[in-house]
Amino acid sequence: MKWKNKGHEYDELGAKFKGKKIILYGTAIEASSFCSRLSRIDDGIIEAVVGDENVEIDTIYGAPIISKLEFTKYNSSDYIVILCCLDVNNYRAQAHRQIMNLGYKDGISCFNYEAFDYYYLPIFSLYACNKLYFKSICILLTTFCNLNCKCCLNFTSYNKDKKHFDINELKRTIDAFFSKVDIVYKFHISGGEPFLYPYFCEIVDYIGENYQSKIMSLRLVTNGTIMPSEKMIASLKKNSVEVEIDDYSRTLGSKSKAMEISALLSEKGIQNDLICVPSWINMDPLDKWMTDELYGKVNACNVPFTCIKDGRLYGCIYSCFAMEAGIVSKASVTNDSIDLESENEKSVFLETVQGYSERGYWEYCKGCPGHEWMGKHYVLPAQQI
């Protein structure tokens, strides 16, 4: 999306959020997880949780559980209601009807959990709580990888100038990011292959020691082929890092050590998840690059991933990867990213991660086939070139 009123794109919607507290309707597992995140953003933002009479607990993260009858006594002009109930036996539709009958409005004061969490929560957080909240962010430690995968989402095979990023530059970028951002749900440490980074423990310790209070989930992504050292394991455990282990055994065979890594980390008390996906989306550049219809392409693509690098926040992680790999020119950096140190308006950072930019598209949009929301071009994961 192209900026029309930079720093003020969400002012109209944000004005409807100001001064409002949240009522969660439903006590499904999603409600508990959502409460946890909301309470980290602002521990007083949840007014109540509407639950069934047979619920055996009285509160969720300090918010009282109230009955459907008690809910009718709340003034609809003071709250936003988030539907967190399961859609079983038409329950969500019935709950929605009650909410509408009480004067709440769809898209203004009533939202489904999925839509609010995915799109509206960062806007609500800034305008109602004055907190800049990111659902996720990624930082690369290195572009070196011990694999050479076809259709690598980091464009590793295109990168002819692989490097380990300077430790002090990484720290500067992280410091600049957290000087503006108040809370991050998932902070991803990635590569390349991060276990190859020579200063791995130093950077993990730096993030954990300085910014753990701002990170809900500190995560590391590994390709599942390198066993971490004892020193690395100690750093992961010390900083409560959750490890996502890609299991490519179907294509790599015995080269994959995903199961062994998972067992080792579990033995050491480190939370980890084995990730086994049937396919990758092919993000390799098109043979014929586009020069028109780019605005429509950006909105159809709807890529949700962002990253930080060299003191800048990139609105599209793949455009950043393409720039680092030499697929697109670094001359477009000022359109594709925001300077974390010189920009002071939190609303500009919010708009950037929501998809706004100076031109209305990222440089790699011209050659990108599009993320999975618009594309159906899949390949087998981790096929070696």
Side-chain angles (χ1 to χ4, degrees):
M1 297 176 288
K2 187 175 182 178
W3 265 307
K4 296 179 180 178
N5 191 10
K6 189 175 182 179
H8 302 281
E9 299 290 350
Y10 293 111
D11 284 1
E12 183 178 349
L13 175 60
K16 296 179 172 64
F17 288 157
K18 283 184 178 178
K20 301 292 181 68
K21 288 193 172 185
I22 288 176
I23 296 176
L24 301 182
Y25 199 114
T27 53
I29 294 174
E30 289 87 350
S32 179
S33 172
F34 195 46
C35 273
S36 173
R37 273 179 283 151
L38 288 172
S39 64
R40 287 288 297 273
I41 294 171
D42 187 326
D43 60 9
I45 203 64
I46 308 171
E47 181 70 17
V49 180
V50 182
D52 294 321
E53 285 73 8
N54 59 357
V55 173
E56 296 180 355
I57 55 176
D58 298 322
T59 62
I60 296 179
Y61 286 93
I65 296 178
I66 61 174
S67 68
K68 298 177 184 66
L69 182 60
E70 289 174 306
F71 172 54
T72 64
K73 301 174 184 177
Y74 287 76
N75 190 334
S76 63
S77 63
D78 296 330
Y79 302 100
I80 290 172
V81 179
I82 313 297
L83 274 163
C84 292
C85 48
L86 297 176
D87 195 15
V88 178
N89 296 326
N90 216 30
Y91 188 89
R92 182 178 289 187
Q94 293 180 55
H96 181 261
R97 178 180 177 179
Q98 181 191 15
I99 294 167
M100 293 296 100
N101 287 343
L102 289 172
Y104 295 90
K105 304 295 182 184
D106 277 326
I108 297 175
S109 55
C110 176
F111 301 87
N112 281 325
Y113 157 76
E114 295 87 353
F116 191 83
D117 182 41
Y118 188 84
Y119 181 77
Y120 293 99
L121 180 55
I123 304 169
F124 176 86
S125 176
L126 183 60
Y127 284 89
C129 309
N130 195 31
K131 298 284 183 68
L132 185 56
Y133 162 82
F134 279 28
K135 188 169 184 179
S136 70
I137 197 71
C138 175
I139 189 167
L140 303 187
L141 305 186
T142 179
T143 53
F144 280 107
C145 186
N146 60 318
L147 300 179
N148 189 26
C149 301
K150 178 182 179 181
C151 302
C152 170
L153 294 174
N154 294 46
F155 308 120
T156 297
S157 63
Y158 290 87
N159 195 328
K160 307 306 179 186
D161 186 27
K162 297 181 180 66
K163 63 175 74 73
H164 296 306
F165 294 113
D166 180 77
I167 182 70
N168 292 318
E169 179 60 32
L170 290 175
K171 290 178 180 178
R172 182 181 75 87
T173 297
I174 292 165
D175 290 343
F177 175 75
F178 281 111
S179 72
K180 306 295 168 61
V181 177
D182 298 290
I183 193 79
V184 178
Y185 178 30
K186 295 178 181 178
F187 190 100
H188 291 272
I189 301 170
S190 188
E193 170 49 52
F195 282 150
L196 292 176
Y197 188 61
Y199 308 106
F200 176 88
C201 296
E202 182 178 347
I203 195 64
V204 171
D205 288 345
Y206 186 82
I207 296 169
E209 290 168 4
N210 291 282
Y211 299 110
Q212 194 74 60
S213 63
K214 290 191 169 190
I215 301 171
M216 298 186 195
S217 177
L218 179 56
R219 300 188 173 216
L220 177 124
V221 183
T222 174
N223 64 27
T225 63
I226 297 177
M227 298 295 292
S229 67
E230 286 297 323
K231 190 176 179 181
M232 288 175 171
I233 290 172
S235 181
L236 292 170
K237 186 169 184 177
K238 171 186 173 184
N239 297 289
S240 303
V241 179
E242 302 172 43
V243 182
E244 298 177 3
I245 309 165
D246 289 322
D247 182 359
Y248 298 138
S249 55
R250 183 168 56 139
T251 44
L252 296 180
S254 61
K255 189 171 184 178
S256 173
K257 297 180 175 63
M259 296 293 289
E260 295 94 320
I261 295 171
S262 178
L264 175 63
L265 295 181
S266 296
E267 178 186 326
K268 300 295 185 179
I270 298 170
Q271 185 173 335
N272 65 91
D273 294 303
L274 276 172
I275 311 296
C276 185
V277 295
S279 60
W280 281 348
I281 187 166
N282 182 1
M283 298 289 285
D284 278 4
L286 299 167
D287 293 332
K288 184 178 180 180
W289 285 38
M290 297 175 62
T291 56
D292 54 9
E293 298 184 0
L294 289 171
Y295 301 122
K297 184 177 182 180
V298 170
N299 288 321
C301 179
N302 196 31
V303 63
F305 306 118
T306 57
C307 69
I308 51 175
K309 180 181 175 292
D310 296 336
R312 305 187 71 88
L313 169 68
Y314 286 79
C316 173
I317 196 170
Y318 298 111
S319 197
C320 177
F321 290 167
M323 195 177 298
E324 180 61 33
I327 298 173
V328 298
S329 170
K330 292 186 178 181
S332 62
V333 67
T334 54
N335 172 76
D336 286 16
S337 62
I338 294 294
D339 192 305
L340 287 164
E341 294 177 324
S342 63
E343 178 58 61
N344 292 310
E345 292 295 328
K346 288 185 175 183
S347 55
V348 172
F349 294 112
L350 166 67
E351 290 163 9
T352 298
V353 297
Q354 296 287 88
Y356 281 94
S357 68
E358 297 290 353
R359 291 184 297 180
Y361 58 89
W362 320 116
E363 184 65 20
Y364 188 54
C365 292
K366 298 174 183 177
C368 180
H371 196 245
E372 59 187 351
W373 184 248
M374 68 174 290
K376 300 295 181 184
H377 26 273
Y378 297 106
V379 296
L380 193 67
Q383 297 179 85
Q384 297 303 289
I385 297 174

